[in-house]
Amino acid sequence: MSVHFPFLTLLVFLPAAAAVLIALLPSASAGAAKGIAMVFSVATLVVAAAATVVFRPGFAGFQLVSSHPWVPSFGISWELGVDGISLFLVLLTAVLFPLAVAGASESAKPRSFLAWMMLLEAACMGSFLALDLFLFFVFFELTLVPTYFVIGGWGYAKRTTAALKFFLYTFLGSAFLLVGIVAVALLHKQATGHLTFSLPALAATPGIGGTGGALLFLAFTIAFAVKAPIFPLHTWSPDAYGESPTAGVVVLAGIMAKLGAYGIVRFDFELFPHQTMAFAPLLLTLAVIGIIYGAIVAARQKDLKRMMAYSSLAHLGFIVLGLFALTDIGVAGGVLQMVNHGLFTAALFLLIGMLYRRHGTWQADQLAGLQRRLPILAGVFTVVMMASIGLPGLAGFVGEFMILAGAFISHRWWAVVATTGVVFSAVYLLWAYQRVFHGPEKADQVRSVDLSWTERAVLAPLVALMIFIGVHPQPLLSRITPTVNQLVGHVTGQPARVQTAASVKMASPLRAGSSTPVQVASVTTTAVGSGKGS
Amino acid sequence: MLQAAFLILALPLAGFVLLAIFGRRLGDPAAGYLGALAIAAAFVSALVTWAGLLALPSASRQYQQHLFGWFSAGSLKVPVALLVDPLSMTMALFVTGVATLIHLYSVGYMRGDPQYSKFFVYLNLFVFSMLTLVLSNNLVLTFLGWEGVGACSYWLISFWFHRPSAASAGKKAFIYNRVGDVGFLVAMFLIFDKTHTLNYTAIFAALHGGMLSGPVVTVALLLLFLGAVGKSAQIPLYPWLVDAMEGPTPVSALIHAATMVTAGVYLMTRMSPLLAVSQTASVVVASVGVITAFVAAAAACAQQDIKRVLAYSTVSQLGYMFLAVGAHAYVAAIFLMVAHAFYKALLFLGAGSVIHGMHDEQDIKRMGGLRRYMPVTAATFVVAWLAIGGVPPLAGFWAKGDVLLNAWADARWMWAVGLLTALLTAYYIGRETVLVFYGPERWRSLGPTSASDRSDAHGNASSDPHEAPAVMTLPLVVLAAASVLGGLLNLPFSGMDVLTHWLSPVVTAPRILSLGVSARWTLEAADAVVALLGVALAVGLWRKRSDRQALEPHWLLAGWGLDEAMDRIFARSGTRLAAVAADGDTRVIDGAVMGVARAVRYGGARLRLLQSGYVRNYALGIALGTVVILGYIVSRAAL
């Protein structure tokens, strides 16, 4: 297969086409809608898998780049590309959508539900692939609309409020992002006389300094921090996760939360290396607070979906900790953990959905002793729970270990406090498990039946991936680390690859701030140049 | 032959996978025999590997087997690789040996349990984890095994999950262990930060190369010791092990003898080159060890539950092992660990046989005179009592004597506390043995407790206690023989200290070599006298009576109140903290957000003439406003 094959454009267009096709169907044809959604999302997965195969490991820059002018007068182009950081997020998106669609049991108006879901997949794909800031913004905003309608249309009791809160909160964050994007492009034009929204070109601009740079960094970061979420901008998530239908929350927590973390590493790191260094202690502190605080509040939740929302806050805290550790090990761990978190969060929400289907509730105190009637569901829940807790041999451990080891090298005390989070994560999950699955069973639960074959088929790929990544994450890491090494070099002003303990400690924010822009620029341009050449 | 090392891990893993997939179809007892076979095969592989190691000259007995790369990024490279040396082989041999017997015993013990095959799934994974822990050539893979045994103990302790007490005990075990794990993790980060490696031999090379300063070594060791305190149930993290007897009895035997609590002692022994240069860490380890030994032994004297006595006994014996480690007597620690594995497995399996025969009765005050009904169990239990009590010439006498000799050479007060603990040890196990197997048949008059109907593992209660089937008594006999002869591993006579020579390439030689012959014999004689005194006390006090409240004060029954204190300090205040935090999240943080939203809505209502009231218009307003403000700031900043 030639490398000129438009893999990435297809990844956006296939689900978008499915959305259009489903919307055009006559309203009665529910089966056809589901069929189209499955066929197209599986086709997207096949393309994503093929792109992963074609992707060259050991190579830092963007690959499979497709670039076409879109609005030339404003310097906006359809520019898509994939590198070690986005590759597995794209694959994760492609894996989770068919499973979310297959695992969903939304019976009311399935046609419009599926159309929104497919549009959401296209938007998520676009967000992870876009190399043009304006294009990214369009996709990033486009994720909001289907999510709003999915929560508002197919959610539970307080869905309207939750959907509105989600929409307004994230939209407010996006407003900052829009301002930031426009300002970055204009400042670039001021400096070079050339208007462009292309990330590689903008990243090569000499860094923006002073208060303006700091404000722009914050504008970007707030948008991403809301989306992730990062403490204290998280309070939309318990409502949105709690009221969202299963398929919606799988995407919301499994994929869109990563969009926030991805935005930070893709845009903050590339565009604002100096500010990233300068603000790292702040973000690290918020991350550590999120880890501890999220886990403590999670322990109090009897509502399993709200518990998962706080659990996500804690896990995203780990991811942000790894990213802002700004060491090759920590950032690589953070990127890997984005994928891992996507897998086990999605699986847990699917399992909670399956419990709801049987017992009409996800309140832990209304369930008990389910392990007796549902041994397989309980077994899968246990494995996924252990992956989330970070049991070595399953997906969560490797990422968490790298994050903490990487953070320890550059920011020792943050890492030490964060490590205590491993106790708390065990507390809330084991407690929830005990409430739901252990103890004597309740009288009204005797009818429940264990996992159906469809449900097993939905969960099996996720469990298999968790075990695979837990035992042999090297195929992922060998593709992630080259990009990460180069990016860490870009941010810290150190030459890539030779990140030792000593060199990171020497690089105080001030020193990095004084590093020559020329050096930073040259690193980035070579990478992008060779990326296009492939 | 050394290449067979990977089989020691692969066979239990294969057993686990096969049982997980086909276990339910195999059923009872085929699944059990498959599980036992996997572990027995691992034992044979360990023997083969051991033979390979023996064939090498003493100084070069070290073999690393690289299986595959686990993960790597930057300078962090973590392989799945094994370190075969005298220490890891000693561990592998006794773990697989004792575990095989426990598996065999479980085939009979678990008969009729509705989750029969699942039990062996966990059991095989448990043994696999422990073997990974001891055979790994680096700290991270050891941590995999370390966490693996933690998870398996969680599953097995809460095996009868419908009992709330079992479910809580399992959770407690995991969480207590996780507290220790924080120490283990941070120690790894610190060591990696300083040495850029987590491979044992490379760490020791870095130590000798001067890459680790004194304070760093001490901090790293204390952090690792926190992990060991959690895993090996020392003060203050031992309450989980006492509750862990909620699991089926073979699980207790496995946890206490072979696959879990010895991990902490192993880890500290493995890191002995670091301990050798940190006197501070050594003193801490020894002090915690000896104090735990005494405290737990005292608590054991007042327990009523046949398994609780044994649980406190294990805590106490592990304390001895840490005393030895802290006194730089690593060989003595391993010697006691192996000897303890024999007689503690025997005690637990014997207790299981009693519980089985008494139809799930566990209160020793409701037993008595059982030797007439279960002669094999009684005889082997007595052997185990004399062995753990330190009566010569059984294994415990030599092993504990070795520890106490070293304590004498290290610090006299530790030796004194250790000797007092030895007296208590002979006494409390004696109390249990006498109350269970001798004296009047109290169960005839007292009737069963309510506790006796709590397990669904065994069928309906018939009248008299009965002896266990051969599949259960055979392991008892083998372990009894090992408990008698275990001392041969390391006799304190020149040329007969086999274990000392065998381990000499890995750990430094003990200091007692400087002790004079007469001093040694005096100390050994003191041990023997103390042991016999304890035995005599137990028989004298409990032969006729089963009720001496003065000797069983409530605070000792409650284990010095440590469990209660931990519960009060951490569990309850933790729950309260979570409640406050959850409340604060809704009221303060979300309250602020919703407050802003209400203010906007209020403003919107005021401006209703201008605005339509639709949400999207608010959003648009917010967006535009922000654009204007930020645009202004940016343009100012850019100029």
Side-chain angles (χ1 to χ4, degrees):
Chain A
M1 210 180 287
S2 152
V3 209
H4 299 292
F5 187 77
F7 289 103
L8 307 187
T9 306
L10 265 181
L11 287 176
V12 179
F13 273 102
L14 277 176
V20 173
L21 275 178
I22 294 170
L24 291 177
L25 282 175
S27 56
S29 46
K34 187 130 185 170
I36 291 174
M38 283 311 292
V39 167
F40 274 78
S41 57
V42 169
T44 313
L45 174 58
V46 170
V47 174
T52 312
V53 172
V54 175
F55 187 91
R56 279 168 49 198
F59 184 78
F62 291 110
Q63 305 190 30
L64 306 172
V65 174
S66 100
S67 183
H68 307 281
W70 184 21
V71 190
S73 50
F74 288 110
I76 299 169
S77 57
W78 174 271
E79 191 176 3
L80 302 180
V82 67
D83 67 357
I85 291 169
S86 53
L87 177 66
F88 293 103
L89 293 170
V90 168
L91 199 55
L92 174 75
T93 309
V95 168
L96 289 189
F97 265 96
L99 298 179
V101 169
S105 55
E106 273 61 39
S107 46
K109 294 194 287 179
R111 199 176 54 97
S112 42
F113 175 78
L114 291 167
W116 286 125
M117 287 296 287
M118 287 297 101
L119 184 63
L120 186 55
E121 176 166 19
C124 287
M125 282 292 185
S127 304
F128 285 126
L129 292 170
L131 298 186
D132 182 285
L133 266 67
F134 195 85
L135 187 64
F136 170 78
F137 184 77
V138 170
F139 283 127
F140 191 72
E141 289 307 283
L142 196 57
T143 60
L144 292 186
V145 182
T147 318
Y148 173 81
F149 283 107
V150 165
I151 298 176
W154 290 268
Y156 299 96
K158 285 179 275 179
R159 59 181 179 274
T160 323
T161 328
L164 193 60
K165 189 169 176 181
F166 160 78
F167 187 85
L168 285 181
Y169 212 135
T170 47
F171 192 74
L172 184 64
S174 308
F176 288 101
L177 181 61
L178 178 61
V179 175
I181 287 174
V182 172
V184 167
L186 289 179
L187 287 171
H188 178 82
K189 183 171 187 248
Q190 214 169 47
T192 64
H194 180 61
L195 182 63
T196 178
F197 285 89
S198 167
L199 177 67
L202 293 172
T205 325
I208 306 154
T211 324
L215 286 173
L216 284 173
F217 172 82
L218 288 177
F220 274 76
T221 308
I222 285 173
F224 298 136
V226 169
K227 199 88 161 189
I230 296 175
F231 179 89
L233 303 175
H234 62 275
T235 56
W236 61 267
S237 67
D239 293 328
Y241 287 16
E243 301 305 323
S244 176
T246 300
V249 74
V250 164
V251 174
L252 202 55
I255 299 167
M256 285 171 66
K258 307 314 157 315
L259 215 48
Y262 169 78
I264 287 174
V265 68
R266 171 67 76 228
F267 297 102
D268 280 358
F269 283 25
E270 291 278 7
L271 295 173
F272 309 104
H274 307 167
Q275 288 79 5
T276 300
M277 290 292 284
F279 280 99
L282 173 69
L283 270 298
L284 288 167
T285 307
L286 292 178
V288 171
I289 293 175
I291 291 170
I292 308 291
Y293 178 87
I296 289 176
V297 179
R300 184 67 190 172
Q301 306 301 319
K302 293 197 175 71
D303 180 313
L304 292 177
K305 286 170 85 177
R306 291 182 75 90
M307 181 195 81
M308 286 302 297
Y310 288 104
S311 162
S312 273
L313 178 66
H315 276 115
L316 263 299
F318 272 111
I319 292 168
V320 173
L321 180 76
L323 298 183
F324 279 94
L326 297 172
T327 56
D328 48 1
I329 299 169
V331 178
V335 172
L336 180 65
Q337 195 69 349
M338 289 190 216
V339 181
N340 295 338
H341 180 251
L343 293 174
F344 54 66
T345 308
L348 279 173
F349 274 120
L350 284 167
L351 285 161
I352 293 171
M354 290 168 191
L355 283 179
Y356 182 80
R357 200 176 298 165
R358 286 168 174 74
H359 301 291
T361 182
W362 54 72
Q363 301 297 323
D365 49 0
Q366 291 174 23
L367 299 164
L370 291 182
Q371 191 173 325
R372 192 181 176 89
R373 303 276 164 183
L374 310 172
I376 299 173
L377 194 154
V380 176
F381 199 103
T382 308
V383 173
V384 178
M385 170 178 83
M386 285 299 179
S388 173
I389 289 176
L391 190 75
L394 296 169
F397 171 72
V398 179
E400 206 168 276
F401 185 85
M402 288 172 62
I403 287 168
L404 290 169
F408 190 90
I409 291 170
S410 60
H411 298 85
R412 177 168 300 178
W413 293 108
W414 280 270
V416 170
V417 178
T419 308
T420 61
V422 305
V423 179
F424 299 117
S425 68
V427 171
Y428 67 79
L429 275 171
L430 293 190
W431 202 350
Y433 186 88
Q434 186 184 354
R435 281 172 171 161
V436 175
F437 291 99
H438 285 161
E441 58 186 340
K442 295 197 171 180
D444 56 341
Q445 287 164 358
V446 288
R447 295 182 291 106
S448 58
V449 267
D450 213 340
L451 293 182
S452 71
W453 286 105
T454 320
E455 289 171 324
R456 291 181 206 194
V458 167
L459 293 168
L462 293 174
V463 172
L465 284 171
M466 275 175 236
I467 295 171
F468 175 75
I469 297 179
V471 175
H472 192 49
Q474 210 50 45
L476 284 78
L477 286 172
S478 65
R479 288 164 176 81
I480 290 172
T481 43
T483 310
V484 163
N485 290 349
Q486 182 198 284
L487 187 63
V488 170
H490 171 66
V491 173
T492 58
Q494 304 281 323
R497 287 191 176 279
V498 279
Q499 284 291 312
T500 61
S503 69
V504 172
K505 271 178 206 136
M506 272 168 18
S508 73
L510 273 177
R511 270 183 60 102
S514 62
S515 72
T516 54
V518 181
Q519 187 192 357
V520 172
S522 68
V523 170
T524 321
T525 27
T526 22
V528 172
S530 44
K532 278 181 182 166
S534 69
Chain B
M1 290 206 282
L2 284 167
Q3 285 81 354
F6 79 97
L7 286 174
I8 306 174
L9 295 183
L11 291 165
L13 184 63
F16 160 71
V17 173
L18 287 176
L19 283 169
I21 300 171
F22 303 112
R24 275 211 278 193
R25 251 161 284 174
L26 285 172
D28 176 356
Y33 281 115
L34 175 63
L37 184 68
I39 306 303
F43 178 60
V44 173
S45 315
L47 283 173
V48 170
T49 315
W50 178 57
L53 202 61
L54 271 177
L56 296 172
S58 173
S60 54
R61 277 180 191 153
Q62 194 203 63
Y63 167 71
Q64 307 219 16
Q65 188 172 34
H66 187 278
L67 299 179
F68 60 94
W70 185 10
F71 61 94
S72 70
S75 49
L76 177 67
K77 289 181 180 59
V78 181
V80 174
L82 310 183
L83 171 62
V84 177
D85 71 356
L87 177 59
S88 64
M89 283 322 294
T90 307
M91 297 294 296
L93 280 170
F94 95 79
V95 167
T96 49
V98 173
T100 303
L101 295 173
I102 295 172
H103 271 70
L104 207 55
Y105 177 93
S106 308
V107 170
Y109 190 88
M110 295 307 288
R111 174 151 277 181
D113 194 284
Q115 305 180 83
Y116 186 86
S117 66
K118 200 177 197 179
F119 184 78
F120 290 92
V121 172
Y122 293 143
L123 231 48
N124 273 10
L125 185 64
F126 209 160
V127 177
F128 164 76
S129 302
M130 186 66 189
L131 291 168
T132 309
L133 193 161
V134 299
L135 284 167
S136 158
N137 83 341
N138 63 76
L139 279 167
V140 190
L141 188 61
T142 291
F143 190 70
L144 179 139
W146 186 270
E147 290 289 283
V149 296
C152 290
S153 68
Y154 162 69
W155 288 316
L156 284 166
I157 293 168
S158 54
F159 188 73
W160 288 320
F161 60 86
H162 53 88
R163 282 163 32 186
S165 57
S168 294
K171 184 184 65 181
K172 188 173 186 174
F174 195 82
I175 291 170
Y176 267 78
N177 271 286
R178 276 251 139 176
V179 173
D181 294 346
V182 173
F184 197 141
L185 282 167
V186 177
M188 281 196 278
F189 305 148
L190 180 61
I191 291 170
F192 176 72
D193 188 27
K194 297 295 174 191
T195 66
H196 300 281
T197 182
L198 288 164
N199 177 298
Y200 290 119
T201 40
I203 293 170
F204 304 146
L207 176 76
H208 298 308
M211 286 170 80
L212 285 165
S213 68
V216 170
V217 171
T218 300
V219 171
L221 282 171
L222 291 178
L223 287 165
L224 286 173
F225 185 55
L226 175 60
V229 163
K231 192 67 71 190
S232 297
Q234 299 292 289
I235 288 173
L237 297 179
Y238 72 62
W240 72 265
L241 186 60
V242 180
D243 284 11
M245 51 142 224
E246 284 288 342
T249 303
V251 173
S252 308
L254 207 52
I255 289 177
H256 289 253
T259 56
M260 184 149 171
V261 294
T262 53
V265 182
Y266 166 76
L267 179 71
M268 297 315 284
T269 308
R270 177 55 81 196
M271 300 308 278
S272 64
L274 272 69
L275 269 171
V277 300
S278 174
Q279 195 49 37
T280 316
S282 299
V283 169
V284 171
V285 171
S287 309
V288 170
V290 74
I291 293 169
T292 307
F294 172 74
V295 164
C301 294
Q303 300 305 313
Q304 312 274 354
D305 186 299
I306 188 169
K307 284 166 77 179
R308 246 171 213 271
V309 176
L310 300 179
Y312 276 110
S313 164
T314 303
V315 175
S316 172
Q317 295 283 308
L318 290 163
Y320 272 123
M321 294 174 211
F322 282 113
L323 168 61
V325 168
H328 304 289
Y330 311 108
V331 178
I334 299 297
F335 183 23
L336 181 58
M337 186 195 290
V338 175
H340 175 254
F342 296 146
Y343 49 69
K344 188 50 64 66
L346 176 53
L347 286 169
F348 265 110
L349 297 186
S353 177
V354 169
I355 296 167
H356 196 266
M358 289 288 290
H359 313 294
D360 299 319
E361 177 60 67
Q362 296 193 194
D363 186 345
I364 51 175
K365 298 294 175 74
R366 291 169 187 271
M367 296 178 184
L370 291 182
R371 70 182 189 284
R372 280 182 287 279
Y373 302 94
M374 31 183 72
V376 181
T377 306
T380 53
F381 207 91
V382 169
V383 168
W385 164 32
L386 299 178
I388 193 175
V391 173
L394 280 69
F397 170 73
W398 304 108
K400 199 184 297 172
D402 200 357
V403 173
L404 288 173
L405 275 179
N406 282 284
W408 171 270
D410 196 57
R412 296 290 146 85
W413 74 270
M414 291 189 190
W415 170 80
V417 177
L419 196 65
L420 180 59
T421 307
L423 174 71
L424 293 179
T425 309
Y427 164 75
Y428 67 71
I429 298 285
R431 169 178 171 268
E432 173 164 274
T433 314
V434 172
L435 283 173
V436 172
F437 294 104
Y438 294 86
E441 298 174 356
R442 291 180 301 277
W443 39 272
R444 288 203 185 277
S445 50
L446 285 168
T449 52
S450 58
S452 62
D453 57 6
R454 63 188 184 175
S455 162
D456 57 3
H458 315 300
N460 47 343
S462 56
S463 56
D464 276 0
H466 57 86
E467 183 60 281
V471 70
M472 288 166 70
T473 50
L474 177 70
L476 296 181
V477 174
V478 175
L479 285 167
S483 301
V484 173
L485 302 173
L488 292 174
L489 279 176
N490 207 33
L491 292 175
F493 311 109
S494 64
M496 298 179 79
D497 46 352
V498 182
L499 196 64
T500 308
H501 279 286
W502 167 242
L503 289 175
S504 62
V506 188
V507 299
T508 50
R511 291 178 186 175
I512 45 160
L513 299 173
S514 61
L515 277 181
V517 177
S518 60
R520 284 178 163 217
W521 280 109
T522 315
L523 289 168
E524 296 276 13
D527 296 346
V529 169
V530 160
L532 292 169
L533 187 63
V535 169
L537 270 176
V539 176
L541 287 168
W542 299 100
R543 182 101 170 91
K544 301 258 158 51
R545 285 178 63 178
S546 67
D547 188 40
R548 289 179 184 275
Q549 291 195 336
L551 292 174
E552 300 169 337
H554 182 261
W555 55 274
L556 273 187
L557 179 62
W560 302 75
L562 181 69
D563 193 23
E564 170 70 16
M566 295 292 278
D567 191 46
R568 196 185 297 266
I569 297 168
F570 296 105
R572 280 184 231 168
S573 59
T575 314
R576 214 168 302 140
L577 175 68
V580 170
D583 196 43
D585 196 68
T586 337
R587 286 180 194 221
V588 182
I589 300 181
D590 197 38
V593 174
M594 295 314 278
V596 171
R598 266 190 290 275
V600 171
R601 187 151 57 183
Y602 179 77
R606 298 293 101 189
L607 297 168
R608 180 153 288 180
L609 292 175
L610 297 175
Q611 304 267 334
S612 61
Y614 285 115
V615 172
R616 55 174 176 271
N617 293 5
Y618 296 144
L620 190 65
I622 294 166
L624 284 178
T626 322
V627 170
V628 171
I629 294 163
L630 266 174
Y632 174 74
I633 295 169
V634 168
S635 64
R636 288 299 298 265
L639 291 172

